[in-house]
Amino acid sequence: ILAAREDRKAINMHDISEAINKVIAGPAKRSRVVTETDKRITAYHESGHAIIARKVKFAEKVHEVSIIPRGQAAGYTISLPDNDNNHATKQQLLDEITMLLGGRAAEEIVIKDITTGASSDIKRASTQARKMVTEWGMSDYLGNMYLGASEEVFLGRDFSSSRNYSEAIAAEIDNEIKSIVTDAYNRCEKILRDNMDQLITVAEYLI
């Protein structure tokens, strides 16, 4: 009886985990044919995310890492929060950006090239860095200024946001965003190079 209960508990936990993954990343596509080249790239990419998440202080805890395709993704690293905090600190946001860039950094270090697989990561990292600078007053240079779009202008069939700052400030915003993302990427590379044994172990296990 006890053994049966444990089996049911294990099955239920698996079902719960699968349901979480399906909501976050989409349904698994186990029938998709994946080449060995793509499998290796994806394994190191996802391992890069996972290693960075373990090494930075404020990244969310890694729930699962897989190279089984889900939705539009070739693989995935799912992180889940361990609390219900509403506020995010500057260092937390920087750690999240660093974790997002871990896959691209791992590709460059191990594959010796970069791929299209980091597109979503780069978009999310850039968007977060832009919000830090323009909405949350987290730029060391620009300080506590709100620099988001102030109003919408109707142009034909579409709306376009107009900005309330000069070209000079726009250039500084771009420089600050680039600085945040570049610093995070350099940090990624250092962490992964310092932990190459773990990066290789995780990737080989995934493969």
Side-chain angles (χ1 to χ4, degrees):
I1 292 172
L2 289 174
R5 287 176 178 173
E6 287 299 317
D7 287 342
R8 285 198 299 272
K9 183 178 179 182
I11 292 170
N12 289 338
M13 290 303 296
H14 177 270
D15 291 344
I16 291 170
S17 178
E18 175 61 21
I20 291 171
N21 295 345
K22 186 178 292 186
V23 169
I24 294 174
K29 297 184 177 180
R30 297 177 183 275
S31 61
R32 182 188 295 176
V33 177
V34 180
T35 67
E36 291 302 314
T37 297
D38 278 353
K39 187 185 295 184
R40 181 169 182 265
I41 291 171
T42 303
Y44 276 100
H45 182 104
E46 300 305 333
S47 298
H49 287 309
I51 296 298
I52 296 297
R54 287 296 299 271
K55 297 299 179 180
V56 298
K57 185 175 181 180
F58 294 110
E60 294 177 344
K61 185 177 180 180
V62 174
H63 167 69
E64 183 173 335
V65 186
S66 176
I67 58 172
I68 295 173
R70 268 186 189 274
Q72 299 301 312
Y76 57 92
T77 301
I78 295 177
S79 298
L80 299 175
D82 56 6
N83 58 61
D84 295 322
N85 293 339
N86 290 320
H87 297 92
T89 67
K90 181 179 180 180
Q91 191 56 56
Q92 281 178 298
L93 296 170
L94 291 173
D95 281 357
E96 287 177 12
I97 291 172
T98 304
M99 190 266 198
L100 284 169
L101 297 173
R104 165 53 64 87
E107 288 178 12
E108 189 162 13
I109 291 170
V110 179
I111 309 299
K112 308 299 183 185
D113 203 348
I114 54 179
T115 76
T116 56
S119 174
S120 176
D121 301 328
I122 293 171
K123 180 179 180 180
R124 290 170 61 194
S126 300
T127 298
Q128 186 149 298
R130 179 169 292 278
K131 287 183 176 181
M132 289 176 68
V133 174
T134 62
E135 297 182 25
W136 300 330
M138 294 180 175
S139 162
D140 292 335
Y141 181 79
L142 295 170
N144 299 314
M145 295 174 63
Y146 178 78
L147 298 165
S150 58
E151 59 184 20
E152 288 187 330
V153 179
F154 182 68
L155 298 173
R157 294 181 302 172
D158 301 316
F159 281 92
S160 177
S161 297
S162 65
R163 65 188 185 207
N164 56 0
Y165 47 83
S166 67
E167 290 292 336
I169 293 296
E172 292 298 337
I173 289 172
D174 290 342
N175 289 336
E176 286 291 276
I177 294 168
K178 182 178 180 180
S179 177
I180 289 172
V181 174
T182 300
D183 288 349
Y185 190 78
N186 291 339
R187 186 181 174 205
C188 268
E189 286 193 314
K190 184 179 188 311
I191 292 172
L192 293 179
R193 291 186 190 280
D194 289 346
N195 296 276
M196 277 298 294
D197 56 335
Q198 295 181 33
L199 179 66
I200 293 169
T201 298
V202 174
E204 289 181 348
Y205 183 81
L206 288 171
I207 292 169

